[in-house]
Amino acid sequence: MKYDTLDHRTLSDFCLEVSTLLHAGVSVADGLHLLADGETDQRLKELYTDLARQVDEGRSCAAAMGDTGAFPTYLCGLVEVGEHSGRTEEALASLSRFYQERERMERRVKSALLYPAVMLSLMLCVIGVLLVKVLPIFDDVYAALGSRLTGVAGGLLALGQALDRFMPAVWVILIALAAFVFCFSALPGFRNKVLAWWRGSRGDKGVAREMNNAQLVQAMSMGLRSGLSAEEAVGLAAGLMADPSPARNRCLACRAKLDEGMSLPQALRETGVLSAGDSRLLEVGEKGGCADAALERIAQTLSEDSQARLEELVARVEPALVLVCSVLVGLILLSVMLPLMHIMSAIG
């Protein structure tokens, strides 16, 4: 039976609970039965029961999770590596931290973008009301005084009248936009398709590229910590980017260079995953026998840097939106008030 893909927080909680039960000496099958018995969410209860049944029938936990469709390919692959190497508990604990970090990053991105989006929407509404409703009133006042709105004010009035004529089409666009936002928020399948398109077209530039590199490096460190070779860790990290994307292509190019005999630090540097400084740090860690720890430290640094850049961009966007919208509102008001003041002074 196929299930909807679990969100990052649920994945993190699941991996943490199973790893904790394994640490306490409970088998995987018994642990899954315990999770199913204690689960109040009916959807998750059915999922855990299905997993426990398959494991009871002799299937591996990784294979059972892969068949449900609820777990990402990357997670199933790393659990399978842990089962083969006898480090299932360590793999699940690492996955729990990994998905917890991804959930935290997504939450910060959403909170960082929500306020500017809401503010921009409100400002556009205010400007629309001024153009469509307020300027015609001033035009009537000018007509009563024997004049008309000209210049910038006349152009803005024409723009407002055009918006008023096309208002049915504007409402259709707004309803379609609201429906898109609702589907994106409520339908995981639709959201995944949109995100896949975004990652393939614009989702690997600037801050997004830094975030992708941080996720790939963190995935590689988890693979190395689970006993994989550098080639296997890089190949497994490519599974994190399930859709065709520049980030996945960089990872696959890195794997190809490793197959040609190139060292991991040099391959990551030449494919653009790591900078020269981070590559040197990894080279030192590799010589010291702690490449996984060096990669984890680099991933943490990349993640923190990308979050700092995102916050910096948002900090620039907010005052820019306020400035532009304030100038537009002021321009609209001044373009009609100043001529009116001249007329009133001439009459007086």
Side-chain angles (χ1 to χ4, degrees):
M1 181 178 178
K2 294 295 184 179
Y3 300 86
D4 293 334
T5 303
L6 301 178
D7 59 75
H8 291 157
R9 181 168 186 174
T10 304
L11 290 172
S12 176
D13 292 343
F14 171 80
C15 293
L16 179 60
E17 290 169 349
V18 176
S19 66
T20 302
L21 291 172
L22 291 177
H23 183 73
V26 181
S27 67
V28 175
D30 292 339
L32 292 172
H33 280 296
L34 289 174
L35 291 181
D37 293 339
E39 184 57 58
T40 57
D41 189 322
Q42 187 61 32
R43 179 177 62 94
L44 293 178
K45 188 180 184 68
E46 293 177 358
L47 172 61
Y48 297 159
T49 302
D50 190 12
L51 285 175
R53 177 186 57 78
Q54 294 190 52
V55 174
D56 282 334
E57 293 174 354
R59 303 202 65 192
S60 68
C61 184
M65 289 192 298
D67 286 346
T68 62
F71 299 91
T73 304
Y74 173 74
L75 186 150
C76 299
L78 196 57
V79 171
E80 183 178 4
V81 171
E83 289 178 329
H84 287 298
S85 61
R87 299 182 178 180
T88 307
E89 178 188 336
E90 291 84 350
L92 286 169
S94 297
L95 285 166
S96 175
R97 292 191 296 270
F98 173 74
Y99 284 107
Q100 182 181 29
E101 181 62 28
R102 290 200 66 182
E103 193 271 336
R104 184 183 298 113
M105 181 180 294
E106 288 185 354
R107 187 170 61 247
R108 293 186 66 176
V109 170
K110 290 178 182 178
S111 62
L113 297 179
L114 179 61
Y115 177 70
V118 172
M119 184 172 62
L120 177 62
S121 301
L122 292 176
M123 288 293 186
L124 290 177
C125 289
V126 170
I127 293 174
V129 170
L130 288 175
L131 292 176
V132 176
K133 299 297 182 182
V134 177
L135 281 182
I137 297 176
F138 278 99
D139 187 53
D140 293 340
V141 172
Y142 273 79
L145 296 175
S147 180
R148 306 293 298 181
L149 288 176
T150 58
V152 176
L156 293 174
L157 176 62
L159 176 60
Q161 291 172 341
L163 285 176
D164 193 28
R165 286 195 302 270
F166 291 105
M167 190 56 66
V170 172
W171 278 113
V172 170
I173 294 174
L174 292 177
I175 292 173
L177 181 61
F180 173 82
V181 173
F182 173 79
C183 293
F184 185 85
S185 303
L187 302 177
F190 178 77
R191 180 168 60 250
N192 292 335
K193 290 180 180 179
V194 173
L195 292 177
W197 171 82
W198 172 257
R199 285 192 295 265
S201 58
R202 302 287 299 176
D204 193 57
K205 298 182 180 180
V207 178
R209 182 186 178 95
E210 294 183 8
M211 290 182 174
N212 289 336
N213 286 341
Q215 293 174 7
L216 290 174
V217 173
Q218 188 175 11
M220 292 176 199
S221 70
M222 290 168 55
L224 291 176
R225 196 182 307 115
S226 299
L228 296 180
S229 64
E231 293 81 358
E232 292 171 328
V234 173
L236 187 64
L240 179 63
M241 303 295 177
D243 305 298
S245 65
R248 179 182 173 87
N249 293 336
R250 284 200 305 277
C251 207
L252 294 176
C254 179
R255 172 63 189 268
K257 290 183 180 296
L258 290 175
D259 292 338
E260 295 172 358
M262 189 177 293
S263 67
L264 180 60
Q266 185 179 359
L268 291 175
R269 182 177 66 252
E270 291 194 1
T271 53
V273 178
L274 293 183
S275 64
D278 290 335
S279 178
R280 286 193 298 270
L281 176 60
L282 176 57
E283 187 174 356
V284 172
E286 195 174 46
K287 292 179 179 179
C290 55
D292 57 339
L295 278 174
E296 185 175 8
R297 176 58 185 168
I298 293 171
Q300 182 180 359
T301 302
L302 290 176
S303 179
E304 292 174 353
D305 290 345
S306 62
Q307 291 176 9
R309 282 198 60 190
L310 178 63
E311 293 173 355
E312 182 181 352
L313 287 175
V314 173
R316 294 176 181 176
V317 168
E318 292 179 10
L321 286 177
V322 173
L323 178 62
V324 171
C325 294
S326 300
V327 168
L328 288 176
V329 172
L331 179 64
I332 293 172
L333 295 178
L334 289 176
S335 64
V336 296
M337 293 300 295
L338 290 179
L340 182 61
M341 292 175 60
H342 290 301
I343 294 176
M344 296 302 294
S345 62
I347 294 176

